[in-house]
Amino acid sequence: MKNKLLIFLMVIILGVVLAACNSNDDVSSENDNQATNGEESGDENQQEKSPSDEEITPITVNQNISADSVISSTGPNGEEAVPATTLELTVEDIEKIREGNYKAAIVMHYAGNDWSTAQIDGLETAFEKMGIEVVAVTDAQFKPEKQASDIETVLAQDPDIIVSIPTDVVSTASAYQKAAKQGVELVFMDNVPDGMQHGEDYVSVVSADNYGNGIAAAEIMGEQLNGEGKIGVVYHDADFFVTAQRVEAFEKTISEEYPNIEIVDRGGISDPEDGLDVASAMLTSNPDLDGIFGVWDVPSEGILAAARTAGREDIVITTIDLGANVALNIAQGGPIKGLGAQLPYVQGTSEAILAGYALLGKDTPPYVAVPSLKVTQDNLLESWEMVYNSSAPQEIIDAVDAAE
């Protein structure tokens, strides 16, 4: 009897164990199914967030730019400036452009500075939103013959759009004319090749307010020198419309607004790296110089190096373009006291919008300008965000904090 009772209890216990195991298997299977379903659901969600399905929003320039900003520049042919802040592609515009599967190329005169990097970034970001493929980005290294070759190479890729800044308006003109005859929509940065007509050969030209930036650099120089002193000017020795505007505005402002500041020496550069040699010669001939203006940031880095070699850390340097190296020197309270800044990211966005106008058959203005920005140590970090659409490098932020 005891043996029968023992066997009966063992059977019951075994049944309970088996039931529990089956229950665990069911739960495990259910969890596995849930995980699988979750992965599938995740894949579906991921597909819903693919670039082609992202919500389309209008493309405009930086809305933090004041609509009341004064633009002092005129276009290469004396055209009145249309503010870049007026440009916009609507959702409907973008949808139509995306249907075309268009291609674009960016043909630069020089891509070795922060200005060019920001221009290209603004263009590529806007083109991506428009569904336009960028098939080439070229760097002519300031050589007209290379830029003409770059255009030929790009044309073989059959782009619908070329955005470019001519290295030389005369020697590159035939290459751009060839592109126009092939039906390519041409949008220019800063300058227009000789003989080309708005509305026939090209869409528009977009520039910073370079005259306004020259005024800003002169005002900073005048303020730093308290309206008195001797200065030198390092200019661009080339047929380049925008750099000529900067120098004209700087020198005119100094002459009219600061009559006790005398421009005693001028030296031209043909290459961005010439700033060091030109400034060194200037300081040797004029050891009592109080300041030097550099036509843009890269040659101004050479001016800074020349001043240091000459033991002239007290000299005042002003320039155009907010490059990382000059920005760091401003942040540190060095000889570079300030500059007139272009807004290259905004300029790139504007050029892309105008290319979109052309693809849609919309009218385009002959000359569009982006306002100038006066930059000193006091507004350096905010200015960087405006110029590059991003925060300043940590090294610059730290230098500004240390100077406060």
Side-chain angles (χ1 to χ4, degrees), residues 62 64 114 117-118 121 322 345-346 380-394 396-397:
N62 191 322
N64 291 323
D114 296 313
T117 299
D121 189 19
L322 187 62
Y345 187 93
V346 169
L380 179 60
L381 298 184
E382 308 94 280
S383 297
W384 186 280
E385 291 193 17
M386 181 72 78
V387 170
Y388 294 110
N389 201 43
S390 64
S391 298
Q394 191 60 47
I396 294 174
I397 294 173

Side-chain angles (χ1 to χ4, degrees), residues 273-282 302 306:
E273 306 305 321
D274 292 344
L276 173 61
D277 292 338
V278 171
S280 294
M282 195 175 284

